[in-house]
Amino acid sequence: MVKHYSAVCGVVAGMLLGLSGCSSAGSSAGRYETDYAGHEPLHVFGYPSVGSLETVQEVVWRMADGKAGDLEKLATGDSTAGETRDTAANWIKGFREGARGKVSADFYDEASERQVVVLYFQKTKQVKEISVRVDGDSGWRVLMDESRLAEATEPPAWAPKEPGGAGSVSAG
C-alpha cells in the first residue's frame, strides 16, 4: 500500500510540475509554479486528482495570502456573489495564520467529479472541511457557502483528529 501511495504521489507531483514547467510566466500554470515556490506545499493523504489537488492547494495559498478576491474566483458557480465574498473573508479571517504554516489535506473517496477534503492546519491545530468538484467548463472549484464566521470555522465532527486517520474513505 505504501509503495502504491508513493507512486500515486509521484505521478501527481510530476503532472503538476510538468504543467508548470511548460508554461509561460503569465499563465495560470506559471502562477501555480510561482505560488508553489513561495508557499509550503500540502502534505497529502488519500487520492486526489490533479484538478482537486491543485484547487485545494490554491485555496490554502489564497487563505495564507489574504487574497479574498482570488479565493472567490475558485468558488463554484452556484453561490451568490455576496455569499462567496463573505465565505472568502471568513476563511481568511479564521484560517490565515494556520494556512501560513504546514497544512495537511486528507482527500476522501474517489475524485472523478467531486471530493471532500479535510484540511489540518498544524500551526493553529485547526481542522476545516471543504468540498471541491468539477463545475461545468470551469474545471475544479470549491463550494463556498459559509457566510457566517462561526459556521465557516466549525471543525467537522466526523473527521479524525489527525490526518490520514480514517484511511481517506468516508463511511457509508
Side-chain angles (χ1 to χ4, degrees), residues 44-130:
V44 177
F45 294 89
Y47 302 96
S49 70
V50 172
S52 66
L53 175 58
E54 182 176 351
T55 299
V56 171
Q57 183 69 84
E58 288 189 61
V59 165
V60 172
W61 291 339
R62 300 305 153 249
M63 282 190 229
D65 294 342
K67 296 184 175 182
D70 288 347
L71 183 55
E72 286 178 60
K73 292 175 186 174
L74 298 173
T76 57
D78 59 354
S79 297
T80 64
E83 186 175 57
T84 300
R85 188 175 310 110
D86 290 345
T87 300
N90 289 335
W91 287 4
I92 289 168
K93 183 175 184 177
F95 300 103
R96 185 174 188 187
E97 182 181 344
R100 289 178 169 169
K102 293 183 185 293
V103 180
S104 296
D106 213 340
F107 288 78
Y108 283 82
D109 302 318
E110 62 90 26
S112 61
E113 293 182 17
R114 60 184 63 235
Q115 208 162 22
V116 171
V117 182
V118 179
L119 300 172
Y120 294 85
F121 301 93
Q122 293 175 18
K123 183 177 181 181
T124 59
K125 305 294 186 213
Q126 293 172 288
V127 179
K128 172 71 182 144
E129 175 187 351
I130 63 174

Side-chain angles (χ1 to χ4, degrees), residues 3-24:
K3 287 181 181 178
H4 181 267
Y5 175 74
S6 295
V8 169
C9 287
V11 168
V12 170
M15 292 162 84
L16 289 173
L17 290 175
L19 283 174
S20 62
C22 65
S23 63
S24 66

